[in-house]
Amino acid sequence: MIIDFHSHILPAIDHGCADSHESEKQLRIMCANKVELAVATPHFYPHIHRTSDYVNDVDESVKAIRARLGDNTLGISVAIGAEVLACETIDRMPDIDKLCIRGTKCLLLEMPACGEWERLQIEAVKNLIDNGYNVILAHIDRYMKRYEDKIDTLIAMGAMAQVNAESLVTHASRKKMMAYIDGGYVCALGSDLHGSEKSSYKAFARLERRVGTENFKRIMDRSKELLATAELVEL
Ligand SMILES: [Fe+2]
């Protein structure tokens, strides 16, 4: 089973997909590449969004793509999650459960791209893990230049890692990511699809060749396990 664990495919909810027309195009690209299950992970920014409004907006967005497709579904299952930006109080945020992939305790957490990661941010992630959440670090490949040691600290604490397909194309980042993959630290692969250019899915389409069949299957099995209880929307 091919699972794309990180994608911005829901219409008009973030900058990944303008409307349901574009959403349909994105889903068609996924289907053409044999993706059977996609996790929709629209951005959630704790300093901007209110969880209840965000959840309502996500529900409306799902309704919009369902309405567009009507009975002409494409044959892809979609789990509804979020890409949650970490902050130092994220572990105490009310309704954090509502930002997990629906039906699971999996939380796709995006660490900040700049600034220092304070001790409190690391502690917040640890608290989430201790409270029973499956914390999955989004696109660890992005943090290698500046935060590699911190990523290793979070993984040692029990966080899991998601890798973006794009990072497996260029030689330098591929080498690094393969070390995490070969070490068994990666539980999910994603396209992080924004927009509907076919070329933006090239890297994901070539993943099995890039990481090797055995690694690919192992990671997909791990993703499937994490999503075993997920509520799926059939599109
Ligand atoms: Fe993303």
Side-chain angles (χ1 to χ4, degrees):
M1 175 181 235
I2 301 183
I3 299 172
D4 184 342
F5 213 98
H6 184 158
S7 64
H8 299 266
I9 49 173
L10 290 184
I13 185 90
D14 63 10
H15 59 276
C17 179
D19 51 29
S20 54
H21 173 65
E22 183 162 45
S23 178
E24 181 180 344
K25 274 164 99 179
Q26 289 176 314
L27 291 165
R28 285 189 185 280
I29 293 170
M30 287 180 161
C31 291
N33 286 286
K34 303 190 170 61
V35 174
E36 292 161 84
L37 203 170
V39 185
T41 52
H43 288 286
F44 177 90
Y45 300 119
H47 54 293
I48 295 176
H49 293 113
R50 250 180 55 183
T51 312
S52 53
D53 295 340
Y54 174 86
V55 170
N56 287 341
D57 290 348
V58 169
D59 286 342
E60 288 306 312
S61 178
V62 172
K63 266 188 214 161
I65 181 61
R66 273 191 136 146
R68 176 172 178 92
L69 295 173
D71 293 333
N72 303 314
T73 50
L74 306 169
I76 186 168
S77 305
V78 176
I80 310 296
E83 181 177 8
V84 179
L85 183 66
C87 64
E88 58 192 40
T89 54
I90 197 75
D91 54 325
R92 279 165 282 153
M93 211 178 72
D95 293 337
I96 188 83
D97 282 313
K98 292 185 177 160
L99 301 174
C100 289
I101 298 170
R102 294 183 183 181
T104 78
K105 292 281 270 182
C106 297
L107 190 69
L108 185 70
L109 203 62
E110 178 182 36
M111 295 306 287
C114 56
E116 286 310 310
W117 292 3
E118 304 297 338
R119 184 177 51 84
L120 288 172
Q121 273 165 326
I122 303 278
E123 274 180 18
V125 178
K126 185 173 184 329
N127 288 339
L128 286 170
I129 295 166
D130 290 347
N131 290 337
Y133 292 95
N134 290 319
V135 174
I136 300 160
L137 303 171
H139 42 54
I140 60 160
D141 41 284
R142 283 205 196 154
Y143 305 103
M144 288 299 116
K145 272 197 187 125
R146 194 163 171 188
Y147 306 107
E148 186 176 352
D149 58 330
K150 297 241 168 61
I151 289 286
D152 289 345
T153 302
L154 293 170
I155 288 175
M157 283 175 178
M160 290 174 267
Q162 180 260 313
V163 166
N164 273 4
E166 201 66 45
S167 70
L168 292 152
V169 177
T170 43
H171 182 68
S173 59
R174 181 176 182 276
K175 214 173 148 195
K176 281 233 162 192
M177 285 308 104
M178 284 309 295
Y180 283 93
I181 288 171
D182 289 335
Y185 300 110
V186 176
C187 69
L189 298 167
S191 64
D192 204 355
L193 184 63
H194 291 68
S196 54
E197 286 302 318
K198 278 190 185 157
S199 58
S200 57
Y201 218 70
K202 249 189 196 166
F204 193 88
R206 292 176 185 167
L207 263 179
E208 188 169 348
R209 253 181 295 161
R210 295 275 178 199
V211 302
T213 300
E214 205 176 304
N215 278 328
F216 188 74
K217 194 180 171 313
R218 184 164 47 83
I219 297 170
M220 290 301 139
D221 285 348
R222 185 75 185 106
S223 294
K224 193 176 165 188
E225 221 174 88
L226 287 165
L227 297 171
T229 57
E231 295 160 19
L232 301 177
V233 179
E234 302 302 331
L235 294 176

